[in-house]
Amino acid sequence: MQISESDLKYLELLSDSYRTIGEASTEIINLMAIQNLPKGTEHFISDIHGEYESFLHILKNASGVIKLKIDELFQDTVSEAERKSLATLIYYPEQKLEIIKQTEPNLEDFYRKTLCRLIELCKKVTFKYTRSHVRKQTPKEYGYIIEELLYGAPSHENKTKYQESIIDSIIEISAADDFIIKMSELISRVSVNRLHILGDIYDRGPGGDIVMDALMKHHSLDIQWGNHDILWMGGAAGNMSCIANIIRICTRYDNLHTLEVGYGISIRPLVTFALSTYADDTCPNFKPKVSKKDALYASDVNSLAKINKAIAIIQFKLEGQLIEKHTCYEMDALRLLHKIDYKNFTVEIDGKVYELNNKYFPTIDPEDPYKLTETEEAVMERLTAAFLESETLQKHVQFLFSKGSIYSTYNDNLLFHGCIPLESSGEFSEVKTSDRVVKGKEWFDYAERIVRQGYFGEEGSKEKERGIDFFWYLWCGYKSPLFGKKKITTFERCFIDDESTWHEAKNPYYSLINNEKIVDKIVEEFGLTKGVARIINGHMPVNKGTSPLHAGGRVFVIDGGFAKPYQKKTGIAGYSLIYNSYGFILASHEPFESAHIAVEQEKDIHSTMVAKEDITERILIKSTDTGKMIQEKIDNLKKLLYSYRNGLIKEKI
């Protein structure tokens, strides 16, 4: 074995952790054993869009994995009703225990039976992990007890009595409730080894902030930013165009709760301005999609419509300014305010003239249509300050930066939200930036670097200013990897009745991904294995009658309609993709009613298997990215052993 001078310097450092031949040998044996365990389960979810109750339930049930394990383990010994009840208990232990304690005639018997079943289930979901890994996931206050229940008793004949005595003690000291809660949390936690969120945490649904809180508590995850996420990240960086878009979407979907309650951002300046400026305008095309009808319904709808229109006009002005400032964005098609005939109330788009359905523009100067009025400027300055000062929003966005990226590669899978910008020929689209032309992986890396500079850059620097502006391009730019359409048609949807103008042409990527040669071209560009690597993305809802699988199962598009507005088109309420040691399982989910109904009626989300990959040999950790890192450590430890045994490095006895 050849040991270079640079090797010796590193091995000297490594010897501080493994001080003797015995310590290095033990670690090699341990790592080689881990290499031959089955790979952990990965869970892929996309396009949550603030639907926090559905999302939290799918986290709790691991997309049906836990119920599947319960059925496998207890199908022959426990009734279907009891298995459903056990699953509900694991998903919602505190709530379910309260109901059980009110109805269960023999509580001690329930505790004993339930604890035994939870122990058996925990053994099943943890068998592929080392004791060390399970110990790290176990609540500290019960660490020793749980370890004894899972692995304890020195001989088989004593094992049952040993475990029974522990369970009896738990019940006797009134710790059963807390122990059941902690065991349930442990089972949910270890059922999924890695969570991948493929973008669009925010908008439409009522709880993007609640989803973020849950993600911040997760033990192992990565996030690929979606265009709706980058919008909020841009808002947190102070991009006024992003802020205007956020507020418009929140008013459109009657989702001010996230802004005002979740993030403490008051839109009072905008409300005051809108209700005054548009007092005589009914704003029919700006009425929100309100779902909750009560005594304030009519007033809410009228007020939100005026707020929506006010912020939309401000948005179009701000976007026009950005497009003029950055000619490299090539987005002149969105600058439409100067193409309006303010006498005849028509607008010219692509050489064709359309009548406007709203003719009230009190804040637009036809001679300078993209200039904000003094009041609009004051409104935006106050709103921007509120976004910058929201501690919770800033905390969530910092987490998105720390755990997220535009794309990632994991276990020979390429993960991203939107698309790889392609030409119809299948070539990577060339993108003009302010300093050069980029394409493919280089474009993704460049875009991520620019927005990171926008958020973390030095105040007042040109790099920070350019980065702040660039958040908006990633939200809706034609060649943005997060958007994937030729043009966003917000103006047309607001002011033109002709729905042909609403069409948003998709990037050729979405038709070309049925071609395996194109798929191979893409995965090779990102350093993955031709003929093997897969692409997993979301963003485009998979409509009824179409498949989420492309190129013979090499591409998964898993946006199935978490957001309720999409469910009429998709016919379902989302997809989940599971990748375990037996391959991929793609499941579709029916709509989720509420956590309350799930507990009271033991009603789980009904999932249907869409596709399943069956393999003859289980995938082991040594075949994964983690396995490659472990192998590198094994190789270095073997070099350290050689150095100890040949006197190149002294043991630290």
Side-chain angles (χ1 to χ4, degrees):
M1 181 179 290
Q2 295 294 319
I3 305 293
S4 67
E5 287 297 321
S6 60
D7 283 340
L8 279 174
K9 290 180 181 178
Y10 170 72
L11 295 174
E12 283 285 1
L13 294 172
L14 190 61
S15 69
D16 290 336
S17 300
Y18 305 96
R19 301 168 64 86
T20 66
I21 288 174
E23 288 180 6
S25 299
T26 299
E27 183 65 3
I28 290 171
I29 293 166
N30 177 51
L31 292 174
M32 291 179 74
I34 291 172
Q35 288 275 57
N36 288 285
L37 288 171
K39 77 174 284 293
T41 299
E42 298 173 58
H43 193 182
F44 304 79
I45 302 176
S46 176
D47 296 86
I48 301 160
H49 283 301
E51 297 292 347
Y52 68 93
E53 281 205 309
S54 298
F55 170 71
L56 293 178
H57 187 84
I58 283 175
L59 275 191
K60 291 174 187 294
N61 78 355
S63 283
V65 168
I66 291 174
K67 182 60 165 63
L68 182 65
K69 297 293 184 186
I70 290 171
D71 288 342
E72 288 176 1
L73 194 58
F74 300 118
Q75 188 150 15
D76 296 330
T77 57
V78 178
S79 69
E80 171 62 24
E82 285 185 286
R83 296 200 303 272
K84 279 180 64 178
S85 185
L86 179 61
T88 305
L89 178 66
I90 292 169
Y91 308 155
Y92 303 97
E94 295 97 331
Q95 300 94 317
K96 190 62 181 174
L97 279 170
E98 288 303 312
I99 295 172
I100 289 169
K101 285 192 289 185
Q102 294 172 17
T103 57
E104 178 59 52
N106 189 336
L107 202 55
E108 187 173 316
D109 183 59
F110 161 78
Y111 282 140
R112 186 171 286 105
K113 178 174 59 179
T114 300
L115 287 168
C116 288
R117 289 172 181 173
L118 289 175
I119 291 161
E120 290 306 306
L121 182 61
C122 196
K123 288 178 184 178
K124 186 171 183 65
V125 297
T126 60
F127 87 97
K128 64 169 95 172
Y129 303 116
T130 63
R131 287 194 187 189
S132 174
H133 177 81
V134 175
R135 192 179 300 123
K136 291 174 184 175
Q137 310 304 321
T138 303
K140 291 181 180 179
E141 63 269 40
Y142 295 117
Y144 172 76
I145 297 172
I146 290 175
E147 190 163 358
E148 287 299 297
L149 288 169
L150 295 179
Y151 312 113
S155 65
H156 177 72
E157 62 186 70
N158 294 326
K159 189 171 184 180
T160 302
K161 288 184 178 180
Y162 182 70
Q163 289 189 345
E164 285 177 354
S165 68
I166 294 175
I167 291 170
D168 287 342
S169 299
I170 292 170
I171 296 170
E172 184 179 335
I173 63 171
S174 301
D177 280 10
D178 193 44
F179 196 80
I180 286 170
I181 290 167
K182 294 298 191 296
M183 283 291 287
S184 298
E185 290 172 351
L186 176 61
I187 289 166
S188 290
R189 189 177 177 88
V190 299
S191 293
V192 171
N193 188 52
R194 183 78 171 187
L195 176 64
H196 306 283
I197 302 294
L198 278 82
D200 279 2
I201 293 164
Y202 286 100
D203 291 331
R204 297 190 172 87
D209 57 304
I210 299 172
V211 174
M212 285 300 304
D213 282 336
L215 293 177
M216 290 184 72
K217 295 174 184 175
H218 201 277
H219 62 284
S220 178
L221 85 160
D222 51 73
I223 300 168
Q224 290 70 56
W225 305 325
N227 58 321
H228 286 270
D229 306 320
I230 212 74
L231 194 62
W232 285 80
M233 292 161 74
N239 183 306
M240 288 189 178
S241 293
C242 291
I243 289 169
N245 271 280
I246 289 168
I247 296 171
R248 178 185 56 78
I249 293 169
C250 285
T251 54
R252 176 63 170 158
Y253 290 92
D254 189 24
N255 183 24
L256 293 175
H257 188 276
T258 300
L259 271 176
E260 296 186 322
V261 179
Y263 290 131
I265 295 171
S266 171
I267 64 165
R268 185 172 62 86
L270 175 63
V271 173
T272 303
F273 165 73
L275 296 185
S276 171
T277 305
Y278 297 95
D280 299 325
D281 188 354
T282 58
C283 307
N285 274 34
F286 292 89
K287 292 189 184 298
K289 299 179 179 181
V290 179
S291 56
K292 185 177 180 181
K293 296 185 178 181
D294 56 22
L296 294 173
Y297 172 74
S299 177
D300 271 349
V301 168
N302 291 331
S303 297
L304 286 171
K306 297 178 193 304
I307 297 166
N308 194 351
K309 182 177 179 182
I311 197 64
I313 296 296
I314 292 172
Q315 173 192 317
F316 300 141
K317 290 183 177 184
L318 292 168
E319 290 176 341
Q321 294 173 20
L322 268 185
I323 294 165
E324 187 174 27
K325 179 180 178 182
H326 297 281
T327 55
C328 63
Y329 289 178
E330 298 182 313
M331 293 175 66
D332 272 350
L334 265 63
R335 280 171 50 88
L336 295 172
L337 296 185
H338 68 288
K339 295 187 176 182
I340 294 175
D341 180 338
Y342 291 95
K343 292 181 179 178
N344 297 309
F345 297 104
T346 59
V347 63
E348 182 185 336
I349 301 175
D350 297 330
K352 190 173 179 180
V353 176
Y354 298 90
E355 182 180 357
L356 299 177
N357 57 32
N358 190 297
K359 303 174 182 180
Y360 190 62
F361 300 99
T363 68
I364 294 180
D365 176 2
E367 299 301 316
D368 193 0
Y370 299 102
K371 183 180 179 181
L372 296 179
T373 66
E374 287 185 8
T375 310
E376 286 174 328
E377 282 185 0
V379 167
M380 288 311 301
E381 284 172 6
R382 289 198 191 182
L383 290 172
T384 302
F387 270 76
L388 292 173
E389 292 165 6
S390 171
E391 291 183 10
T392 305
L393 175 61
Q394 296 299 334
K395 179 180 69 175
H396 285 171
V397 167
Q398 287 162 17
F399 181 77
L400 284 171
F401 273 111
S402 68
K403 293 293 184 180
S405 54
I406 288 182
Y407 75 95
S408 68
T409 57
Y410 199 91
N411 290 340
D412 236 358
N413 296 313
L414 174 60
L415 315 179
F416 55 85
H417 175 71
C419 75
I420 309 292
L422 298 175
E423 299 300 315
S424 56
S425 63
E427 295 299 313
F428 295 114
S429 294
E430 292 187 344
V431 184
K432 293 180 183 178
T433 72
S434 58
D435 51 9
R436 65 182 188 274
V437 174
V438 292
K439 62 180 179 179
K441 180 178 179 294
E442 185 184 9
W443 168 224
F444 277 61
D445 292 334
Y446 176 92
E448 181 165 335
R449 185 171 66 253
I450 296 301
V451 291
R452 287 186 181 276
Q453 289 175 350
Y455 190 79
F456 295 106
E458 183 181 350
E459 290 296 331
S461 67
K462 290 183 179 179
E463 290 79 11
K464 186 174 182 69
E465 181 184 348
R466 180 176 66 162
I468 291 173
D469 290 350
F470 194 66
F471 280 102
W472 176 78
Y473 177 85
L474 286 182
W475 152 246
C476 63
Y478 169 43
K479 294 181 181 178
S480 164
L482 308 185
F483 183 58
K485 299 176 186 176
K486 189 170 184 179
K487 176 188 175 185
I488 193 167
T489 57
T490 307
F491 178 92
E492 290 86 340
R493 291 168 187 267
C494 290
F495 288 107
I496 301 174
D497 289 334
D498 186 344
E499 294 188 12
S500 67
T501 65
W502 300 5
H503 178 65
E504 298 176 346
K506 297 178 184 178
N507 187 276
Y509 166 84
Y510 293 100
S511 57
L512 291 172
I513 52 173
N514 286 303
N515 185 330
E516 285 199 56
K517 290 182 179 179
I518 297 295
V519 174
D520 279 334
K521 180 185 179 72
I522 291 170
V523 298
E524 282 190 293
E525 171 74 4
F526 286 82
L528 300 179
T529 309
K530 179 180 178 180
V532 175
R534 291 175 171 85
I535 294 171
I536 306 172
N537 69 276
H539 187 52
M540 289 294 183
V542 181
N543 293 336
K544 294 177 186 176
T546 59
S547 174
L549 300 175
H550 303 270
R554 294 280 306 284
V555 178
F556 296 93
V557 179
I558 61 169
D559 180 2
F562 252 110
K564 291 176 182 176
Y566 290 143
Q567 290 173 11
K568 289 182 180 178
K569 293 182 179 180
T570 63
I572 58 172
Y575 288 107
S576 285
L577 182 64
I578 295 291
Y579 183 29
N580 60 24
S581 58
Y582 292 105
F584 284 94
I585 302 171
L586 181 65
S588 64
H589 307 298
E590 290 187 358
F592 181 66
E593 293 183 65
S594 71
H596 176 75
I597 290 175
V599 176
E600 290 281 346
Q601 301 179 17
E602 297 183 344
K603 195 169 183 180
D604 203 347
I605 290 180
H606 179 70
S607 301
T608 302
M609 191 182 298
V610 176
K612 183 178 180 181
E613 178 185 38
D614 291 311
I615 59 174
T616 54
E617 291 186 17
R618 297 186 77 170
I619 305 168
L620 304 181
I621 287 176
K622 63 184 173 184
S623 301
T624 68
D625 289 350
T626 300
K628 292 172 186 175
M629 290 188 288
I630 291 174
Q631 186 59 52
E632 186 177 351
K633 187 173 182 181
I634 291 170
D635 294 341
N636 286 323
L637 284 167
K638 285 181 177 179
K639 288 182 180 180
L640 180 61
L641 269 184
Y642 178 87
S643 299
Y644 279 148
R645 288 169 175 161
N646 288 275
L648 299 176
I649 296 176
K650 294 179 182 179
E651 291 184 81
K652 298 176 180 178
I653 300 173

